[in-house]
Amino acid sequence: MVNFRLARPEDGPALADIYAPYVRDTAISFELSPPSAGEFRARIARCLEQYPWIVCEVDGTAAGYAYAGELKERPAYRWNVELSLYLAPAFQHRGIGSALLSTLLELLRLQGYRYAYACITASNLRSIRLHERFGFAEAGRFPRSGYKLGEWHDVVWLAKCLQDNGAFSTAPSPPLPLPLLDGRAVAELLESGAGTAEGHKR
């Protein structure tokens, strides 16, 4: 059974375990040392004050997660977010990543965010293609911007507009913090995302 829910700080150890191989063995993440379970707990708690962090469980096991975060600290950027998505290897190619991304984007749209951005290592074609399927388009490329595992890596920035053009015609209200969203609407989106992933699993 597939279940989508909002993350909790106590998910820190399980989610840190999912993330660690990406840090240790790949250039998908530009971190150099895997964060501890305690650091992950703190990251989850900080994120949920404003942004969604979704966990996917399959038969009670954490299979992956997706979350949004601040794009830039300057206040004029606050209608934009940067996304992250990671899956445990055993749960790849099962539609979970697509369902997580779709659900995350819908939550961000409800909050009133205008643009979502993804910063992806150029060699990570699987992630680039996933985002393109959801309407992301390349907004820029930073050549040789990261050095990891003995080589330089380009980074691609992808962008997706989350609102219609009318949302840009007047002075915007600040995006709603996640805790202020209607709980029923959040629960329905999470249930729908899990149902989509469950359907792919079959």
Side-chain angles (χ1 to χ4, degrees):
M1 179 179 177
V2 178
N3 179 46
F4 280 14
R5 60 172 174 79
L6 294 178
R8 301 184 286 261
E10 54 264 34
D11 293 316
L15 303 192
D17 285 346
I18 290 173
Y19 183 55
Y22 291 97
V23 175
R24 189 175 55 244
D25 304 326
T26 81
I28 290 173
S29 168
F30 275 12
E31 291 197 70
L32 300 181
S33 300
S36 67
E39 169 60 22
F40 241 76
R41 289 189 188 97
R43 292 183 186 186
I44 293 167
R46 286 194 302 269
C47 177
L48 291 173
E49 292 175 2
Q50 178 68 34
Y51 306 102
W53 188 317
I54 306 169
V55 173
C56 172
E57 295 175 320
V58 177
D59 298 328
T61 298
Y65 61 89
Y67 66 91
E70 183 180 66
L71 177 70
K72 299 277 284 184
E73 66 178 12
R74 301 285 189 254
Y77 285 107
R78 66 185 179 274
W79 290 272
N80 306 297
V81 290
E82 183 180 349
L83 310 184
S84 294
L85 190 159
Y86 292 92
L87 297 176
F91 296 99
Q92 294 177 3
H93 311 295
R94 298 171 63 174
I96 291 172
S98 294
L100 280 171
L101 181 56
S102 176
T103 306
L104 180 61
L105 292 172
E106 287 303 315
L107 285 172
L108 293 168
R109 188 175 286 113
L110 276 182
Q111 288 182 267
Y113 286 103
R114 299 315 200 254
Y115 267 88
Y117 292 88
C119 179
I120 303 173
T121 308
S123 58
N124 188 5
L125 296 178
R126 183 185 302 166
S127 183
I128 291 172
R129 300 294 176 258
L130 170 64
H131 286 79
E132 288 176 341
R133 289 200 300 273
F134 281 87
F136 283 77
E138 184 171 330
R141 181 179 290 255
F142 295 175
R144 298 186 294 275
S145 59
Y147 184 81
K148 187 177 180 184
L149 300 176
E151 58 183 308
W152 291 98
H153 301 274
D154 292 1
V155 163
V156 177
W157 280 89
L158 303 174
K160 175 181 172 65
C161 184
L162 299 176
Q163 308 291 344
D164 60 33
N165 287 334
F168 297 89
S169 61
T170 58
S173 300
L176 280 175
L178 179 71
L180 296 185
L181 283 184
D182 179 80
R184 185 175 302 172
V186 172
E188 288 175 355
L189 282 174
L190 293 171
E191 183 177 356
S192 176
T196 299
E198 182 74 35
H200 280 293
K201 189 180 77 169
R202 293 174 187 156

